[in-house]
Amino acid sequence: MDCCPLAGMSTASRTTSLVTRGYYSKIRPLTVILHNRSDVNLTAFYRVAWQRENVRIGEDSLRQIAKNRASFLELIDKDPSVVIYGVTTAMGERASHRLTQVERDLHARIKPFPAATSFGDYLPDRVVRGIVFARLTNFLEGHAATTPRIALAVAEMLEGAPMPAVPAAGQGGAGEILALYPLFAELSMRFELEVKERGSLINGSPCAAALVTDAAIAARRRLQLALETFALSIEAFRAPLEHYDQALEALWGDRDETAVLRSLRGYLSDTGGRRNYQAPVSYRIVPRILGHAHRAVTAAEHAAKVSLSSISDNPVYLAPDAEHPYGRCISTGGYHNAMAAPALDDLAGIWADICLLCDRHTSKLLNGQVSHLPDQLLVGRQPGQSDGRGNIGYVPMAANGYIELAKGAAHRTFIPGSDSSAGGQDDVATPSFLAWSKEARAGRCLDASLAMLAVVASQALFVTQREAPPALRGFLDLVRACVAPLVEDRILGPELNRLTDTITAKVFAPDDRVDSKTA
């Protein structure tokens, strides 16, 4: 998706513009209607998972589900030699064991409790809703080969009832069954499950799809907040506008950096009074660093788009064709989503880099010999009082702590081994849960780093009695609602925490609007 952050607009205007690019729906019905798997997309995910809208499966889809179910039953009834994992054979290490008709029925009704062993660090409700929504992809065109009642029951889970608790921690399985077993346990207890239905609830990769989509939506908003924060810092520092000149777009030749350059220019004002020589490196590379953030966010959105509509069931049913009159069912590794973790890792990595960039800006603003800002920026900077630093001067120390936390979360997520000591089939685990948890931690560190830089930039504008450019005044009002300009030293920690919480709340607000009172 080639969608760049939009500078110089109100929140409402930005949201309206994003509608035209396929992210949000400005005028929405109360229910998302699904006809095929292409309908399981970013827009629908946002509405269902974040805005808690209901889901209805279209009649055309229900007819296709029923048709494929009938063909699937003909396949296993009329071809006694067919081998279908978990249907005509046992599962796991017993995959070579052929099941009798009686064993098939008993196997189908095994209840889901044995694998419900993971615990701790439970996923947010919006993510669990997203997993349930992504679960529908395999059903909509009949690839799960279940009865329509199962697809309808999954959709019904999204009608407002509390979601089951699903752990983010302890997910070391080859697929996602440790998360999907407890998620669909209650549903499976309400039905006498038939062949293939149990496996279609717990196989596939709806978790990976939901995790990367959730992160992509949040990342687009974090990037927007980073643009506003760095633009405020550039104004506070009076950095030359040539560092963000339109000519750089052609010179650099990168669409992501071009998007950031245009956004920054939309925020900045050429009101004069700027330094006539180059700013420090950390100011000149803002378009490059945020350009990579734009690239990482776009890549995460692409991974989300593909993952949401991807058929990942194992085994997967293919509808009848000329060569296969009853269709066929094949085992695949589609449940291992190899796109999600790298996309999440790249987001975590750029968040850590931006945390460092925030600290460099903060330090330069607070260094009067570099910024040429007055000593009053550091409240309490009088001889003989404390160490002459003023408590805002200690912000870089707190910033350093968040930088290191972000770096700790930003290490690459490698594919884990799985159950190697048992000698079974599950010899590789999925990395998506690990990557999502690390990206979430790095993102929270970024929120704190943006808060600290925004407060120092706000103070710089305050002591020089300058207004923010019109496009940044709403953001500056938000900052000052949480941390008012300092006229004397006071305890800043709780206020900085409040601003951080407000930024995080803006990232995850269902309607993209939040103020400091609701955070």
Side-chain angles (χ1 to χ4, degrees):
M1 296 184 181
D2 187 18
C3 170
C4 62
L6 304 167
M9 295 185 181
S10 67
T11 299
S13 297
R14 286 200 306 273
T15 302
T16 302
S17 184
L18 285 169
V19 170
T20 67
R21 300 170 188 269
Y23 288 99
Y24 313 113
S25 186
K26 187 175 175 64
I27 301 175
R28 307 181 303 273
L30 295 177
T31 300
V32 173
I33 302 175
L34 303 177
H35 300 283
N36 53 56
R37 59 189 173 109
S38 65
D39 292 332
V40 184
N41 52 41
L42 275 138
T43 303
F45 183 98
Y46 176 74
R47 291 170 56 188
V48 173
W50 287 46
Q51 297 188 312
R52 301 186 61 80
E53 292 190 23
N54 295 341
V55 169
R56 181 165 65 83
I57 300 175
E59 293 298 324
D60 51 347
S61 177
L62 291 172
R63 286 193 294 271
Q64 185 62 48
I65 293 170
K67 181 179 178 181
N68 275 22
R69 177 65 177 180
S71 297
F72 170 77
L73 291 177
E74 283 190 287
L75 171 66
I76 61 175
D77 287 343
K78 297 188 177 183
D79 185 355
S81 66
V82 70
V83 176
I84 302 174
Y85 176 77
V87 176
T88 65
T89 77
M91 301 179 77
E93 290 74 46
R94 300 185 68 243
S96 61
H97 175 71
R98 296 297 298 273
L99 300 176
T100 66
Q101 185 64 54
V102 173
E103 288 175 327
R104 286 185 196 178
D105 294 338
L106 291 173
H107 189 264
R109 291 193 290 273
I110 295 174
K111 297 309 177 186
F113 301 115
T117 56
S118 55
F119 61 94
D121 296 334
Y122 291 97
L123 294 170
D125 178 83
R126 67 176 193 280
V127 177
V128 180
R129 287 183 62 85
I131 294 171
V132 174
F133 179 62
R135 174 76 295 172
L136 291 169
T137 300
N138 286 348
F139 296 115
L140 294 173
E141 297 175 2
H143 291 290
T146 69
T147 56
R149 63 180 185 148
I150 298 298
L152 290 169
V154 172
E156 186 182 351
M157 291 177 66
L158 297 166
E159 293 183 359
M163 288 288 105
V166 177
Q171 298 293 341
E176 299 178 349
I177 62 172
L178 294 184
L180 297 176
Y181 261 124
L183 178 55
F184 294 112
E186 191 277 332
L187 184 155
S188 67
M189 295 292 289
R190 287 193 281 116
F191 294 95
E192 284 295 322
L193 296 179
E194 301 175 10
V195 292
K196 187 75 169 67
E197 292 184 331
R198 173 173 168 263
S200 294
L201 287 171
I202 62 174
N203 270 305
S205 55
C207 298
L211 293 170
V212 73
T213 305
D214 180 75
I217 294 171
R220 179 61 65 180
R221 294 179 175 188
R222 278 200 168 103
L223 177 56
Q224 182 64 43
L225 289 162
L227 281 161
E228 294 172 330
T229 302
F230 280 101
L232 195 68
S233 175
I234 290 165
E235 285 292 331
F237 195 81
R238 300 187 180 103
L241 293 183
E242 67 185 65
H243 300 337
Y244 320 103
D245 196 282
Q246 183 176 355
L248 295 173
E249 296 176 15
L251 294 176
W252 292 352
D254 181 82
R255 66 178 185 177
D256 298 292
E257 291 169 356
T258 292
V260 169
L261 284 165
R262 292 174 179 175
S263 291
L264 288 173
R265 289 197 301 273
Y267 283 121
L268 302 173
S269 294
D270 189 9
T271 54
R274 295 181 180 275
R275 60 177 66 205
N276 59 4
Y277 56 94
Q278 73 175 21
V281 169
S282 58
Y283 281 85
R284 284 176 278 141
I285 67 172
V286 166
R288 294 287 212 180
I289 301 301
L290 294 191
H292 181 64
H294 190 281
R295 190 176 303 114
V297 172
T298 302
E301 290 167 343
H302 174 73
K305 176 183 177 182
V306 172
S307 298
L308 284 172
S309 62
S310 174
I311 299 298
S312 60
D313 202 10
N314 178 53
V316 60
Y317 179 70
L318 304 176
D321 57 26
E323 187 176 352
H324 305 93
Y326 304 119
R328 58 190 178 124
C329 214
I330 59 175
S331 291
T332 78
Y335 56 85
H336 185 100
N337 186 319
M339 302 178 68
L344 291 164
D345 284 349
D346 205 12
L347 288 176
I350 194 60
W351 298 157
D353 281 344
I354 297 175
C355 287
L356 179 67
L357 198 63
C358 285
D359 174 66
R360 294 297 95 103
H361 277 226
T362 297
S363 298
K364 291 298 180 287
L365 284 167
L366 292 172
N367 186 340
Q369 292 182 335
V370 177
S371 66
H372 301 298
L373 291 167
D375 288 346
Q376 291 92 330
L377 176 58
L378 302 182
V379 173
R381 198 181 209 185
Q382 290 90 22
Q385 288 193 4
S386 183
D387 61 359
R389 186 190 292 259
N391 65 354
I392 200 171
Y394 286 95
V395 167
M397 291 187 179
N400 188 56
Y402 280 101
I403 292 169
E404 295 308 312
L405 286 173
K407 287 180 180 178
H411 293 292
R412 179 183 170 184
T413 307
F414 293 94
I415 299 175
S418 175
D419 198 23
S420 58
S421 63
Q425 292 194 112
D426 296 339
D427 54 0
V428 175
T430 178
S432 301
F433 289 93
L434 296 170
W436 180 85
S437 295
K438 293 193 295 183
E439 189 278 336
R441 290 197 297 273
R444 176 65 175 175
C445 291
L446 176 59
D447 297 346
S449 298
L450 294 173
M452 288 182 278
L453 174 56
V455 167
V456 173
S458 166
Q459 185 71 8
L461 292 171
F462 174 74
V463 299
T464 54
Q465 300 181 350
R466 287 183 289 145
E467 294 279 350
L472 288 173
R473 287 174 189 168
F475 179 65
L476 183 58
D477 288 344
L478 180 145
V479 173
R480 289 179 174 174
C482 296
V483 186
L486 283 78
V487 294
E488 60 183 5
D489 280 344
R490 64 177 189 263
I491 297 174
L492 279 182
E495 296 179 36
L496 288 167
N497 188 68
R498 183 184 179 196
L499 178 55
T500 300
D501 287 346
T502 297
I503 288 173
T504 303
K506 281 186 68 66
V507 168
F508 293 105
D511 59 356
D512 199 26
R513 291 191 301 274
V514 70
D515 59 35
S516 60
K517 295 179 181 178
T518 61

